[in-house]
Amino acid sequence: MTPIGRRDFLAQLALATAAVSVSHAAFSTASRADESIETETAYGRIRGIRKDGVNLFKGIPYAGRTSGDRRFRRAAPLEPWTGVRDALQVGPPAIQAPRRNEPAPSEDCLFLNVWTPANDNRKRPVMFYSHGGGFVIGSGASASQDGSNLARNFDVVVVETNHRLGLLGFLYLDELGGSEYAGSGNMGMLDITTGLKWVHDNIARFGGDPDNVMIWGESGGGAKTSCLYAMPEAAPYFNKASIESGPGVRMTPKEVAAETTAMLLKELNIAPKDWRKLLDVPAADLLTIQGKLPFVPPFQEKNRNQGMMRRNYGGFGPVVDGVVLPHHPFDPTAPAISRNKPLLVGWNEDEYTFFAWERKDTEFAKLDFEGLQKKLELPYGADAGKIVAAYRKANPNASAPDLYVAVSSITMMGLGSVDIAEKKVKQGGAPVYLYNFGYKSEKKIPGTDYAMGTPHAMDISFKFNNEIPPRDGSEPKESFFGGNRPERFTASRHFAELWTTFARTGKPAAKEVPTWPAYTLKTRPTMRIDAQCEVINNRFSEELALWRSVGKL
């Protein structure tokens, strides 16, 4: 099994996220025991439910149609309704493979969900989450990101959107379609900004403060958050941000996006001058074609030449079009437009074990140090020996599989996170806080004796405070990734409290957690989040020096 590259990253994630993000009973229709709740929006009255101390509103439309003549364009205006509209069931997700316990995917997918302690005009902080799944799958109805516990336990309002994905959300047609299709390569991102505007106009009715909104997201949601942080259209509608295991340093150059559009037209046997025929191709057929093209990773490598870019980084994701996304989110600098907005950024210590689990990679767990060097020669060539030597020196007690996981995890998500933190500090504006999530799951990767540790995506259920004992006092069930140890409940509490305090004040803090200093280039403090949290200065200093020496940071 070869090391996973950034091209492969979202391809694997797209297949795997469904396994860890299925919906559950919280998204079913109301039971007889649930209390009905009604509230006004700018477009009409809606009915939700009150369940266990939280008001839930699901499937609220935040914009109009994106099908038909609105394909690849901005959504139609949302039409007001009369009477009371039920907001009891999640809306359809964007076009993708069917998702368990959700409506059938649809082109018309612009719906959002709200969790709030009360519709009482209390001006609570708003946590606006963008789901993961790269830019190709996912929804705002994933079980691990249920917002009930955050709302109930920390007095915040949680909002999550569905938005266009893949080809239907990011096909670059600006040069073929003219002004009518301006911004076409970023429709998925513009959907999210429309959701943010809906929050600004409506969230006060849900007990939220429209002037205190945090954007956050994991994996592909982190990359989306990186883009929002750099987008003029999003700027008026949020105050702080968190980028989690998805550092969107660079996005797709428009030249590469144009090449991808040409690839698509060729695959469909459509001449460029006849591109409007795309409007008549069934969405299911477009999804099939999308599967034949490469996926876009969370961020692009800076030093690849354009030929390599075209070959490896086709596919669909946000486009640096000079207008909607004026420049790469964090290259060459942090975006000036968000200079005064505090930022959290970081990654999980063992990101790679998720992909080993998903890909059924058991071979890495059998590596010796000679095999480790050979395995690293494919992505790193002559630098492989240097990498192994540096990692063995920095981690003298680590096994060869441990070092493979460490190398893979930091190159996937760590280097981009550090890059973002450094550039934000150099900007001299609002603070940035760097973290590592480190709670260790004892669950084994199937077919091995190697523990999952802190895999990619495990942070979702922890930061949403969904790792808690059952409310009815029954025996806790094993967490999908988090395992059985009761310490996970404490780690989840710390994670959720740090994030909700940041949402409230712009500075992360929690009881029984050390003071978390802002990142500086002198001390480089990193908060390690676990059942026992600690601040570690200049963490991974030897490893980061290595990656700088080989031009990866």
Side-chain angles (χ1 to χ4, degrees):
M1 186 72 71
T2 58
I4 189 167
R6 286 175 184 153
R7 173 187 167 183
D8 294 329
F9 170 74
L10 287 198
Q12 301 300 331
L13 183 61
L15 295 173
T17 302
V20 295
S21 300
V22 294
S23 295
H24 58 50
F27 296 100
S28 62
T29 54
S31 72
R32 292 179 181 177
D34 297 325
E35 176 187 355
S36 178
I37 298 291
E38 292 186 12
T39 194
E40 291 285 346
T41 74
Y43 300 95
R45 195 163 182 83
I46 59 173
R47 179 186 295 112
I49 59 171
R50 183 164 184 83
K51 188 180 182 73
D52 297 328
V54 177
N55 292 352
L56 312 175
F57 297 88
K58 299 171 249 180
I60 305 171
Y62 66 89
R65 183 172 49 83
T66 51
S67 61
D69 64 348
R70 290 287 176 166
R71 182 182 279 182
F72 310 126
R73 296 173 58 206
R74 289 188 184 247
L78 182 59
E79 297 292 336
W81 57 86
T82 58
V84 181
R85 179 181 180 128
D86 279 343
L88 304 173
Q89 170 65 37
V90 297
I95 293 293
Q96 58 191 286
R99 297 176 62 81
R100 189 182 306 172
N101 296 337
E102 294 186 38
S106 172
E107 281 198 67
D108 294 319
C109 61
L110 303 191
F111 299 89
L112 56 78
N113 309 312
V114 179
W115 295 259
T116 180
N119 292 65
D120 57 4
N121 298 304
R122 277 275 306 275
K123 290 195 171 184
R124 296 172 178 84
V126 180
M127 301 181 72
F128 184 99
Y129 189 77
S130 291
H131 66 74
F135 307 114
V136 291
I137 69 165
S139 82
S142 299
S144 56
Q145 65 197 43
D146 183 300
S148 297
N149 288 332
L150 280 184
R152 178 188 304 109
N153 297 335
F154 298 96
D155 199 35
V156 298
V157 178
V158 181
V159 180
E160 300 175 19
T161 68
N162 292 350
H163 41 268
R164 281 175 282 183
L165 298 169
L167 188 159
L168 290 164
F170 299 100
L171 180 65
Y172 181 69
L173 293 170
D174 293 39
E175 294 165 14
L176 294 176
S179 60
E180 189 179 6
Y181 288 83
S184 56
N186 288 301
M187 283 298 131
M189 295 307 308
L190 289 171
D191 292 344
I192 300 174
T193 64
T194 302
L196 280 167
K197 186 177 186 303
W198 185 95
V199 165
H200 183 268
D201 295 342
N202 292 277
I203 208 65
R205 298 179 176 94
F206 296 81
D209 184 351
D211 296 318
N212 190 15
V213 177
M214 169 185 169
I215 57 171
W216 57 316
E218 182 270 348
S219 192
K224 294 166 192 172
T225 303
S226 300
C227 292
L228 293 170
Y229 203 71
M231 288 173 58
E233 194 158 323
Y237 303 122
F238 72 93
N239 312 89
K240 55 191 75 71
S242 175
I243 299 167
E244 301 140 15
S245 293
V249 175
R250 293 176 61 83
M251 291 294 141
T252 307
K254 62 183 179 180
E255 297 81 10
V256 177
E259 288 279 337
T260 302
T261 301
M263 289 167 55
L264 172 71
L265 292 172
K266 184 176 181 181
E267 188 75 28
L268 289 167
N269 198 27
I270 296 174
K273 65 181 178 61
D274 297 325
W275 69 268
R276 285 184 178 272
K277 290 182 178 180
L278 289 170
L279 303 179
D280 300 321
V281 178
D285 293 347
L286 291 178
L287 182 62
T288 298
I289 295 296
Q290 176 180 301
K292 296 180 179 180
L293 299 174
F295 289 92
V296 168
F299 60 94
Q300 311 271 348
E301 287 191 42
K302 181 176 181 180
N303 296 323
R304 287 186 180 270
N305 62 49
Q306 285 296 300
M308 286 292 287
M309 275 276 200
R310 292 191 181 105
R311 186 161 65 251
N312 287 338
Y313 291 150
F316 303 100
V319 178
V320 183
D321 60 6
V323 180
V324 175
L325 187 58
H327 45 73
H328 293 290
F330 286 91
D331 187 60
T333 61
I337 198 169
S338 290
R339 183 179 187 275
N340 296 319
K341 296 179 179 181
L343 181 65
L344 285 171
V345 63
W347 75 99
N348 298 352
E349 288 179 352
D350 307 305
E351 300 272 2
Y352 179 75
T353 59
F354 173 98
F355 301 97
W357 163 77
E358 191 278 327
R359 301 172 82 195
K360 298 179 173 59
D361 177 9
T362 60
E363 294 303 310
F364 88 93
K366 305 172 186 175
L367 288 172
D368 57 20
F369 289 109
E370 181 180 355
L372 173 64
Q373 180 164 331
K374 289 181 179 178
K375 196 171 180 69
L376 293 178
E377 284 173 357
L378 181 62
Y380 301 113
D383 290 325
K386 183 177 182 180
I387 292 168
V388 172
Y391 266 75
R392 292 190 72 175
K393 180 181 177 184
N395 305 275
N397 297 320
S399 67
D402 291 340
L403 295 188
Y404 183 70
V405 170
V407 167
S408 301
S409 300
I410 202 169
T411 53
M412 281 179 178
M413 300 297 173
L415 300 184
S417 300
V418 171
D419 191 19
I420 286 174
E422 290 179 349
K423 287 170 177 173
K424 183 64 180 171
V425 168
K426 291 174 183 176
Q427 192 176 49
V432 58
Y433 300 88
L434 184 68
Y435 77 91
N436 295 139
F437 180 43
Y439 176 82
K440 299 302 179 190
S441 170
E442 78 282 8
K443 290 189 72 170
K444 300 294 195 293
I445 297 171
T448 77
D449 289 325
Y450 200 90
M452 296 288 290
T454 317
H456 185 73
M458 193 177 88
D459 56 310
I460 301 173
S461 61
F462 280 73
K463 68 196 177 197
F464 274 89
N465 199 213
N466 289 333
E467 299 286 345
I468 59 172
R471 292 170 58 81
D472 62 6
S474 61
E475 189 71 19
K477 294 181 179 179
E478 183 180 54
S479 169
F480 189 89
F481 277 150
N484 265 322
R485 293 192 296 117
E487 290 87 351
R488 71 186 189 275
F489 305 141
T490 303
S492 179
R493 175 87 190 182
H494 290 333
F495 209 151
E497 188 174 355
L498 287 166
W499 259 239
T500 52
T501 304
F502 179 74
R504 181 168 280 107
T505 68
K507 180 176 173 57
K511 299 171 187 174
E512 301 176 1
V513 171
T515 299
W516 187 348
Y519 196 75
T520 71
L521 298 182
K522 182 178 181 180
T523 58
R524 300 179 181 272
T526 301
M527 175 64 79
R528 185 180 183 275
I529 300 169
D530 200 337
Q532 292 287 328
C533 297
E534 62 177 323
V535 175
I536 305 172
N537 286 336
N538 206 20
R539 193 173 195 204
F540 302 122
S541 59
E542 293 179 64
E543 293 93 328
L544 294 176
L546 160 77
W547 294 116
R548 288 189 177 93
S549 74
V550 298
K552 297 293 184 180
L553 178 61

